[in-house]
Amino acid sequence: MENLTKQDIRALSLGELESFFESIGEKVFRAKQVYNWLWQKSVFSFNEMTNISKTTRLILEKNFFINNILIDFQQKSKDGTIKNSVKLHDGLVVESVLIPTSKRITACVSSQVGCSLDCSFCATSLLKRMRNLNPDEIFDQVVAIGKQSKLYYNRALTNIVFMGMGEPLMNYKNVLSAIQKITEPDSLGISPKRIILSTSGIPKMIKKLADDKVKFGLAISLHSARQLIREQIMPFTKKFPLEDLMESLQYWYKKTNKPVTFEYVVWEGINDKQEDIDSLIRFCYKIPSKVNLIQYNSIGDSKFIQAPQIKLIEYKKALENAKITVTIRHSRGKDIDAACGQLANKNNELSVV
Ligand code: SAH
């Protein structure tokens, strides 16, 4: 109840925080100190802000609150991947994953509770979208995984991918604001070059990313370069046809000079024909791009069966012959349902619909 009159302090910019300090007759530089506690040291209580006087801490306490996430449940895969159930301040749960490899440690973070898109091969689509995550909730997932990375692997986090629950471009403002905080030198200072935003492909928002001159990478969940096939497996794409998607990607490339990555699963009887390969090649020719052939992680729907390795190799060879960069990606954390498309809060009754 008390929270109704208080404000979320992390919704304030540094400038707004400075104005607040001015308004209470406090030195303005103190605002920066508080800002550092919030965004660099990630404390969840005003009491921990030891270089701020007790009186000021009490004033902050009276006017603001700090929302915090809680790692509710953790599972570790045989391959070292760690899946976290992250409890939000209102009790809802999302998942985020730490993926260690010899070269990098990647945090895979969620941007929404559930998802409003309806990709029929994705476990998250079974959960209705309950709400967008706030910037601090996205930021806190990165901080929490960064801590785990140090604790379990004695290494710092190197990469961040927006491939957890939700469609990041449907929560545009908060995702961008979180990325700004993650990359700010005064905060986590992670280079935007080490961040990838993955989207199912919302043309208008891709153009907006380009207009906003973002510095991070863009991945598109393509899965088919044939409109009718894509519509069957990702029904929402009826509204966002491939032609519009391509136009937005060309706009993105013109403005950012950054190639895009296409994520692509090959399923038996769905997109495993020569015509599918040829369409993908034609699509890739229109934009500097590379293709990641990712493994299908079963969600128990018998319509979707991962094509055999030989088919993936056929795809790979055809793309390589067409001079398109392609990699076959192996899944991580499959034994704990932490792989792409498997995030569905299985361990939490709250989100099962
Ligand atoms: N909504 C965003 C981000 C979340 S999904 C997007 O669609 O890009 C992250 C990636 O996992 C996407 O490429 C998605 O297509 C893929 N994916 C979803 N379900 C999957 C599954 N069951 N197996 C393998 N990949 C899956």
Side-chain angles (χ1 to χ4, degrees):
M1 274 301 111
E2 211 188 350
N3 275 359
L4 287 178
T5 53
K6 293 187 187 187
Q7 237 191 317
D8 176 2
I9 192 162
R10 286 195 291 171
L12 265 58
S13 65
L14 177 60
E16 287 164 339
L17 204 55
E18 285 173 344
S19 305
F20 175 79
F21 272 71
E22 225 174 340
S23 75
I24 58 166
E26 213 352 326
K27 300 218 169 49
V28 170
F29 77 88
R30 296 266 175 231
K32 184 72 189 294
Q33 291 178 324
V34 169
Y35 193 79
N36 285 347
W37 282 111
L38 293 171
W39 295 109
Q40 211 165 38
K41 299 181 191 125
S42 288
V43 299
F44 285 148
S45 88
F46 295 110
N47 270 338
E48 291 170 76
M49 302 181 177
T50 44
N51 58 356
I52 306 296
S53 76
K54 198 137 188 242
T55 327
T56 309
R57 275 188 261 154
L58 280 173
I59 298 176
L60 290 173
E61 189 82 54
K62 234 179 86 195
N63 288 277
F64 301 104
F65 58 88
I66 311 172
N67 278 335
N68 62 309
I69 62 162
L70 198 87
I71 306 275
D72 214 20
F73 189 74
Q74 237 187 56
Q75 278 172 289
K76 201 164 177 185
S77 156
K78 287 195 288 243
D79 65 21
T81 301
I82 300 173
K83 180 168 84 164
N84 298 294
S85 290
V86 177
K87 197 174 229 170
L88 308 169
H89 67 92
D90 55 2
L92 290 174
V93 176
V94 292
E95 292 176 332
S96 32
V97 186
L98 177 157
I99 308 155
T101 64
S102 54
K103 289 201 195 100
R104 47 174 80 169
I105 297 205
T106 305
C108 173
V109 297
S110 294
S111 54
Q112 297 181 309
V113 187
C115 189
S116 55
L117 302 183
D118 48 10
C119 308
S120 30
F121 48 83
C122 178
T124 310
S125 74
L126 301 172
L127 312 171
K128 61 173 188 280
R129 188 198 76 93
M130 285 179 244
R131 71 170 171 87
N132 286 338
L133 293 193
N134 294 326
D136 55 88
E137 291 170 326
I138 297 167
F139 177 88
D140 287 349
Q141 293 175 62
V142 176
V143 172
I145 293 181
K147 283 184 186 156
Q148 285 177 344
S149 174
K150 290 251 170 69
L151 180 69
Y152 296 114
Y153 297 102
N154 201 21
R155 285 155 63 193
L157 203 59
T158 57
N159 295 71
I160 299 165
V161 293
F162 281 80
M163 294 187 186
M165 287 180 167
E167 168 49 53
L169 295 188
M170 300 278 236
N171 184 16
Y172 188 93
K173 194 165 152 273
N174 291 352
V175 166
L176 258 70
S177 152
I179 293 178
Q180 197 230 322
K181 285 289 187 307
I182 292 165
T183 52
E184 230 170 54
D186 271 349
S187 185
L188 299 187
I190 295 177
S191 164
K193 291 195 192 112
R194 298 185 166 276
I195 300 177
I196 292 178
L197 184 147
S198 174
T199 172
S200 298
I202 298 161
K204 198 170 122 197
M205 301 320 279
I206 292 172
K207 284 186 172 173
K208 184 156 170 52
L209 283 178
D211 286 335
D212 287 341
K213 300 190 173 59
V214 300
K215 299 274 189 295
F216 50 80
L218 182 64
I220 308 294
S221 303
L222 188 64
H223 304 308
S224 175
R226 296 169 66 193
Q227 180 61 24
L228 289 178
I229 306 282
R230 198 160 186 258
E231 276 175 20
Q232 278 167 29
I233 56 177
M234 302 166 84
F236 78 92
T237 62
K238 284 190 190 106
K239 280 194 286 177
F240 306 113
L242 283 166
E243 243 172 66
D244 294 0
L245 175 61
M246 180 48 75
E247 198 228 329
S248 72
L249 294 177
Q250 287 168 337
Y251 185 86
W252 156 272
Y253 185 73
K254 207 170 87 198
K255 291 244 164 168
T256 65
N257 214 23
K258 279 176 182 291
V260 294
T261 302
F262 292 123
E263 291 155 277
Y264 201 100
V265 176
V266 186
W267 291 283
E268 264 180 30
I270 293 181
N271 57 355
D272 59 350
K273 289 177 252 343
Q274 190 57 44
E275 202 180 338
D276 297 295
I277 303 180
D278 294 341
S279 305
L280 177 59
I281 292 173
R282 281 196 300 275
F283 198 74
C284 289
Y285 274 159
K286 295 184 187 157
I287 172 100
S289 52
K290 65 170 185 180
V291 175
N292 275 347
L293 293 174
I294 56 180
Q295 229 179 343
Y296 175 55
N297 303 305
S298 176
I299 60 160
D301 183 337
S302 56
K303 268 207 309 282
F304 293 99
I305 299 164
Q306 163 78 55
Q309 186 70 6
I310 189 164
K311 183 54 76 178
L312 292 188
I313 292 170
E314 198 184 307
Y315 247 94
K316 187 166 185 273
K317 280 197 179 138
L319 289 163
E320 280 169 351
N321 287 341
K323 304 269 175 292
I324 294 159
T325 310
V326 51
T327 24
I328 298 182
R329 282 279 154 98
H330 295 287
S331 242
R332 313 270 316 194
K334 253 182 135 164
D335 53 334
I336 53 165
D337 286 343
C340 283
Q342 288 189 309
L343 301 183
N345 286 352
K346 266 199 196 160
N347 301 305
N348 197 292
E349 58 190 11
L350 268 174
S351 25
V352 179
V353 288

